[in-house]
Amino acid sequence: MTLDGGSMKRCRLINRQWIFHREKIPGAHSVMIAVVAMAAVVTAQNPIGWASISGATTGGAGGTTVTVTNETDLVSNAKSSSAMIIKVSGKISCDRVNVASNKTIEGAASGATVAGSLVMYGKSSAPVKNVIISNLVIAPESGSFEDAISMQFADHIWVDHCDVSDKRSTLDGLCDMTHACDYITISWTKFSYPNNTTDHRFCMLISHSDDNASEDLGHLKITLHHDWWAQNVFERMPRMRFCQVHSFNNYFSAAGNNYCIGAGVQAQVRVESDYFDGVSNPHEFYDGETTAIIATNTDNQYINTTGKKDVGQGTCFTPPYSYKLDAGSSVKNMVMSGAGPFKTVAIESIPFEPAPVKTPFARPAVKAFAVTLQGSLLPVASVQGSFPYIIINSKPSVRSVVK
């Protein structure tokens, strides 16, 4: 991904905090390089995609922050009626964690793990609303027959930078959204299973039945971006009905699969700049469903794929939000390095003109210089649809001087 000076200026309008890093360039004066500072509140309030529409997804922002290290504290805080930011420290083994509205559940540091299921079950009259789950390994090891992440009657949910798998002897799905769920974004998350010898390696289900139109139709607006459908996922990446699903910049590498994207009854899915790598049936009308619609752009990558690439059958929805497509050819490396908890994305050779700052020294006469940034990408509200990321925890270094 390339950031130009205009992009940096636009980002500065969003986040007015900067870190200034002084570097000595051989043959030139010291210069101040501006790097975006961490702005957790801004990013947490601004997912890209459907979770940004018809209200904000802010999680527990404004509530109490607690750190939990055991099942008892995680369960009791997650079901609280109060807004809370819950930081998970270490590994917590549990069965099922019921998550109530206005919660952020996030890893306190690398290695934070919920070895159980996170469940958001509301009612048609009282859905679970406004939940953020981020920077966690979610991997049930025992317990009830629940998906790793499961949602029913839930809206404005954002799952970001997680690693989701199932280590139980009897597997279930990894992330299912059913019963009129709505306004959901799942981003920078890896899905996988530990082996290919067990059944039901069916990753993601959107709407559970062809007979559920009365609940689901008009809902199930979901964005999937920069996710990694990885080893041993057999199908449902996702399998969907009655929905408007936007899949962009995702990486599919689940070799030996049945199909990737399956569009069923009255499903609409827009597939843009995804990267399909050695998989079968990248996108198909499930069981030849004639009411499904699949729209694609010309930048999807099909590398050593076989089978169906179904498209058409009607006019697909147009996303009502701003987003930026990364080049399909860059998605594999970007997602492999960036999907999952506390993962970083290397951004190389960025043309960058230093922002005007007051300094006690003369500004060097340079046109531009290349800066390498190693940091985590987090989404923010895009400005004019042109720059939907900021960089946090950045480590800058000047590589060369153009002049």
Side-chain angles (χ1 to χ4, degrees), residues 171-191:
L171 301 180
D172 205 349
L174 298 183
C175 183
D176 284 7
M177 293 157 279
T178 60
H179 295 283
C181 285
D182 222 351
Y183 301 111
I184 296 169
T185 293
I186 300 176
S187 55
W188 295 100
T189 291
K190 180 180 179 181
F191 298 99

Side-chain angles (χ1 to χ4, degrees), residues 108-124:
S110 180
T113 301
V114 174
S117 299
L118 294 179
V119 175
M120 286 151 275
Y121 285 173
K123 301 177 181 179
S124 59

Side-chain angles (χ1 to χ4, degrees), residues 198-217:
T198 50
D199 292 332
H200 207 85
R201 291 176 285 115
F202 305 158
C203 186
M204 181 178 290
L205 182 64
I206 298 172
S207 180
H208 74 290
S209 172
D210 289 355
D211 299 323
N212 209 49
S214 60
E215 279 185 348
D216 290 343
L217 197 60

Side-chain angles (χ1 to χ4, degrees), residues 48-278:
I48 296 169
W50 280 115
S52 68
I53 296 299
S54 193
T57 302
T58 59
T64 303
T65 299
V66 297
T67 299
V68 297
T69 59
N70 59 73
E71 179 182 9
T72 299
D73 290 343
L74 174 58
V75 169
S76 63
N77 285 294
K79 69 180 181 181
S80 167
S81 60
S82 301
M84 299 188 75
I85 298 173
I86 303 167
K87 293 182 176 290
V88 175
S89 179
K91 178 180 177 180
I92 298 178
S93 296
C94 52
D95 183 359
R96 166 175 162 168
V97 179
N98 293 303
V99 182
S101 296
N102 304 313
K103 297 293 184 296
T104 296
I105 303 179
E106 63 185 18
S110 180
T113 301
V114 174
S117 299
L118 294 179
V119 175
M120 286 151 275
Y121 285 173
K123 301 177 181 179
S124 59
S125 59
V128 173
K129 292 177 172 285
N130 189 30
V131 174
I132 296 172
I133 299 170
S134 67
N135 284 312
L136 282 173
V137 174
I138 304 167
E141 295 178 352
S142 61
S144 61
F145 193 65
E146 298 280 2
D147 303 310
I149 300 173
S150 189
M151 308 176 208
Q152 297 180 12
F153 296 113
D155 69 73
H156 291 91
I157 312 295
W158 182 20
V159 179
D160 181 63
H161 277 94
C162 289
D163 187 325
V164 187
S165 63
D166 191 340
K167 298 183 179 180
R168 296 171 291 193
S169 57
T170 301
L171 301 180
D172 205 349
L174 298 183
C175 183
D176 284 7
M177 293 157 279
T178 60
H179 295 283
C181 285
D182 222 351
Y183 301 111
I184 296 169
T185 293
I186 300 176
S187 55
W188 295 100
T189 291
K190 180 180 179 181
F191 298 99
S192 66
Y193 288 95
N195 61 67
N196 62 2
T197 60
T198 50
D199 292 332
H200 207 85
R201 291 176 285 115
F202 305 158
C203 186
M204 181 178 290
L205 182 64
I206 298 172
S207 180
H208 74 290
S209 172
D210 289 355
D211 299 323
N212 209 49
S214 60
E215 279 185 348
D216 290 343
L217 197 60
H219 300 286
L220 298 170
K221 300 177 184 72
I222 297 163
T223 300
L224 310 169
H225 74 85
H226 296 93
D227 297 317
W228 182 4
W229 313 89
Q231 66 271 14
N232 301 318
V233 177
F234 188 60
E235 59 184 55
R236 297 186 184 175
M237 303 177 234
R239 157 84 161 97
M240 64 200 91
R241 308 169 173 93
F242 308 115
C243 60
Q244 294 182 13
V245 170
H246 188 193
S247 172
F248 72 89
N249 288 148
N250 298 295
Y251 178 48
F252 299 79
S253 66
N257 70 308
N258 183 19
Y259 67 88
C260 295
I261 296 170
V265 176
Q266 297 190 56
Q268 295 185 40
V269 56
R270 182 170 292 276
V271 182
E272 297 184 297
S273 301
D274 283 341
Y275 194 116
F276 300 92
D277 191 1

